[in-house]
Amino acid sequence: MRTLVLNAGYEPLAVVSFKRAIVLVMNEKAVVVERVDDDPVWGARGAYERPAVILLTKYVRVPGSRHIPVTRRGVLRRDAHRCGYCGKAASTIDHILPRSRGGADSWENLVACCLRCNNVKGDRTPQEMHWELRVLPRPPRGVQWTVRGTERTDPCWEPYLALAA
């Protein structure tokens, strides 16, 4: 069971385990905003609701821009597992400007790619192949990228995640 953690200003911060959430509530560092309709959790100081969403009692300062690291899984997820050249199912990633020519491992230079297109393209650029990209590769945005654990959301989290979008 997982719990969404909101900052004191109701912005989503993270998704934590049920155990971590109940410890924050028991130590009065958070309050339960949405609860699961189950039996309460009994502690030394009484019963506590089972949290689905908790709100921190003190504001936690978050760094201005959260850097999203470039990963193979992230590029495939950003491009919805579709090839940037032909649109078929993608299982690999491709450097638009090949690494051998100075291409970087960046969100702007990587695109999801099917095996066939990746092998045909090889060490060339899309311009040399007379290919056009179906998508403009850019860094991903949104709460599902900056708040860890929101890939699989709970329906009761939706109002709080929609506020941050």
Side-chain angles (χ1 to χ4, degrees), residues 27-42:
N27 289 331
E28 298 177 357
K29 293 183 179 185
V31 293
V32 177
V33 177
E34 295 278 338
R35 64 182 181 87
V36 179
D37 294 328
D38 283 335
D39 298 326
V41 176
W42 291 93

Side-chain angles (χ1 to χ4, degrees), residues 64-82:
S65 64
R66 292 186 180 181
H67 176 70
I68 303 166
V70 180
T71 61
R72 178 181 174 279
R73 179 186 287 175
V75 172
L76 289 168
R77 191 173 134 215
R78 177 198 67 189
D79 296 345
H81 291 271
R82 291 279 156 217

Side-chain angles (χ1 to χ4, degrees), residues 6 10-13 142-144 146-147 157-165:
L6 303 174
Y10 281 85
E11 70 177 283
L13 281 181
V143 71
Q144 67 272 19
T146 55
V147 179
W157 299 354
E158 294 302 325
Y160 305 100
L161 296 176
L163 292 174

